[in-house]
Amino acid sequence: GESVGLHLPTLSVQEGDNSIINCAYSNSASDYFIWYKQESGKGPQFIIDIRSNMDKRQGQRVTVLLNKTVKHLSLQIAATQPGDSAVYFCAENPPNSGNTPLVFGKGTRLSVIA
Amino acid sequence: DGGITQSPKYLFRKEGQNVTLSCEQNLNHDAMYWYRQDPGQGLRLIYYSQIVNDFQKGDIAEGYSVSREKKESFPLTVTSAQKNPTAFYLCASSISATEKLFFGSGTQLSVL
């Protein structure tokens, strides 16, 4: 089964506020994590990734935080805009995977209230 | 869509019919994947291929078949054995199986 999960299946935020989407993983040896954004009727788009030798990585309006102590990953979106409304998936690279694919979480739907 | 093209965008299948979904990439990626997504659900892996002429079953391979005769192409056939084929099908590729995936725009398959 999947080792990647999400704390909140849906999240509603006011436009302009910051959003935080969370993801838990079960295997402390996972070494690579990715966040994807999927808009309705489209394929997932890569947002940002982080490797286990880092705690934080920033992109344009997005920040990914990795807390290896509690096996937690989060995606922070600054000044959330209506265009950020989508489903967000986290994915991990299982350890000793023998080149098996990334494991995806079930997703969180972000709704931005104008 | 990062150089990955899926066709058609919409596809309809009749009872007992096999249908083939196309996936082509020009990213020179070795690995390619097929996922199924049901409404409001996550991604479930059907098949993946790490190299030409080789592929492995994913979590829900029953009722599906694939081929990987060319690096650029990874078509998925939904056979008549798949009794509940209605879903959104996503193709993806990556440099290797442990690197980030780039997804196509998807094919919505429905049953007539």
Side-chain angles (χ1 to χ4, degrees):
Chain A
E2 295 180 352
S3 64
V4 177
L6 291 162
H7 294 305
L8 297 171
T10 60
L11 177 66
S12 296
V13 298
Q14 203 72 35
E15 181 179 359
D17 288 351
N18 296 335
S19 302
I20 301 176
I21 302 171
N22 297 304
C23 181
Y25 62 96
S26 59
N27 196 314
S28 59
S30 290
D31 59 3
Y32 180 50
F33 304 88
I34 308 168
W35 281 102
Y36 286 91
K37 172 186 180 184
Q38 186 180 25
E39 297 176 89
S40 181
K42 297 183 179 179
Q45 294 176 290
F46 169 82
I47 302 174
I48 193 167
D49 56 2
I50 188 168
R51 298 202 180 267
S52 58
N53 61 349
M54 301 175 69
D55 296 323
K56 179 180 180 179
R57 193 168 186 211
Q58 288 184 296
Q60 187 177 11
R61 280 201 308 117
V62 295
T63 301
V64 55
L65 298 176
L66 177 61
N67 186 331
K68 294 181 284 292
T69 302
V70 295
K71 293 177 285 186
H72 184 267
L73 186 72
S74 68
L75 177 70
Q76 299 180 0
I77 304 173
T80 310
Q81 303 169 0
D84 295 326
S85 294
V87 176
Y88 290 80
F89 293 97
C90 61
E92 68 169 323
N93 178 36
N96 302 317
S97 62
N99 287 333
T100 55
L102 301 173
V103 175
F104 284 84
K106 296 189 186 301
T108 293
R109 181 175 300 279
L110 175 65
S111 296
V112 180
I113 304 166
Chain B
D1 293 323
I4 300 175
T5 302
Q6 288 188 242
S7 62
K9 179 75 172 171
Y10 301 96
L11 186 59
F12 297 91
R13 193 192 88 167
K14 296 179 181 179
E15 291 288 337
Q17 185 183 43
N18 294 350
V19 292
T20 298
L21 285 61
S22 171
C23 180
E24 303 279 332
Q25 55 101 356
N26 61 4
L27 300 169
N28 200 33
H29 286 171
D30 284 322
M32 296 188 74
Y33 314 79
W34 276 104
Y35 289 88
R36 170 178 171 142
Q37 187 174 35
D38 292 283
Q41 301 295 314
L43 306 176
R44 291 190 289 169
L45 182 65
I46 305 172
Y47 269 99
Y48 66 102
S49 167
Q50 297 180 49
I51 199 168
V52 175
N53 292 322
D54 187 44
F55 49 83
Q56 288 79 39
K57 293 181 179 180
D59 300 320
I60 55 165
E62 185 174 354
Y64 301 97
S65 66
V66 294
S67 63
R68 186 85 187 278
E69 298 176 359
K70 298 186 301 181
K71 188 175 186 177
E72 302 80 17
S73 180
F74 191 41
L76 173 74
T77 296
V78 183
T79 75
S80 57
Q82 173 50 248
K83 298 306 180 185
N84 184 24
T86 297
F88 191 52
Y89 290 87
L90 286 161
C91 178
S93 71
S94 62
I95 294 172
S96 70
T98 57
E99 294 295 324
K100 60 179 174 282
L101 275 61
F102 294 86
F103 286 87
S105 56
T107 293
Q108 175 63 50
L109 175 62
S110 302
V111 176
L112 289 175

